[in-house]
Amino acid sequence: MKVISATAQSIPKTPSVVTIGTFDGVHIGHQKIIRKLTKKAAEHHLISVVLTFFPHPRMVLQQNANIKLLNTIAERKEILSALGLDFIYIQEFTKAFAEMSARDFVKTVLVDKLKVKHVIIGYDHHFGKNRSANIDDLRAFGTEFGFEVEEISAQDVDDVAVSSTKIRTALNSGDIVTATAFLGYDYYINGTVVRGKGFGKKMEFPTANISVDASYKLIPKNGVYVISSLVQNKTIYGMMNIGMNPTFHGDKKTIEAHFFDFYQDLYGQDLRINFLDRLRDERKFESVDALIAQLRQDRTHAQHFIAQRNA
């Protein structure tokens, strides 16, 4: 599987079947489309290509849009790469690209670069300048340029009853169970372990403070979560607090992970943190002792959840 950008020279040399979209989250609805794509490619001896965009169009076209995405572009590539695709083509989304006419997009990108012979597209897909073209236009271009268009029906998509927006809404409300069901995998963040203020260590709960570089990455609702991570090819479990540390009068949001029965120094390491469940809201305690008592209770609940999950 190759990942190529719009400026790359290593473009497919074999005719392709293509699907197009931002694919934020690469959720179970997206996965259904990609299964259709790879099946069609195998049946017709074509290569399978996902054409996706970065930055997200709303980041470019709506200057004040504070959109948060389910995946960074690196995460999106990682998830897509595991689905059996031949190519992922990343088109840089710029204001100039947004001005490209639908016909120019089809001719320049789909036909000339990707050698498209078949397009699989969602029933409500719009494209081209001002999103003015629809699937009927795409079919007309297909007749002109020699490719077929397969529409994914509203029923097929609605049967899954999932969208990136619904997943964002679930995560923003702390509903990890719904997000996991819609994604088909545990939601996760990637970040670097940085030094914090050391409060956790003083309370018998040392934490790894996680710094997420991508400002557009969606961080779930403040609160305490059950988590897992992979360190030196070993899965470790723990709990994580997202929030302001109100008991310590914190003045900025932090992400702090405590791993159970784990004592290695993680400073400077890059970690992937998987969200498994949510334990509770963050709140201010009347004393440090009261916070410690709650953390012990959280640990018990988290370990019970993990034991049931792994049973």
Side-chain angles (χ1 to χ4, degrees), residues 102 106 126-127 131-144 147 149:
V106 169
H126 288 74
F127 64 102
R131 302 183 75 242
S132 58
N134 60 25
I135 191 156
D136 292 330
D137 298 301
L138 188 60
R139 286 196 174 105
F141 292 134
T143 300
E144 179 182 355
F147 61 84
V149 177

Side-chain angles (χ1 to χ4, degrees), residues 157-171:
V157 175
D158 292 342
D159 277 349
V160 182
V162 62
S163 72
S164 301
T165 300
K166 287 181 180 178
I167 298 167
R168 292 187 199 109
T169 299
L171 291 170

Side-chain angles (χ1 to χ4, degrees), residues 214-228:
S215 61
Y216 61 88
K217 172 73 175 182
L218 190 153
I219 307 299
K221 181 183 178 182
N222 287 4
V224 181
Y225 294 86
V226 186
I227 60 166
S228 71

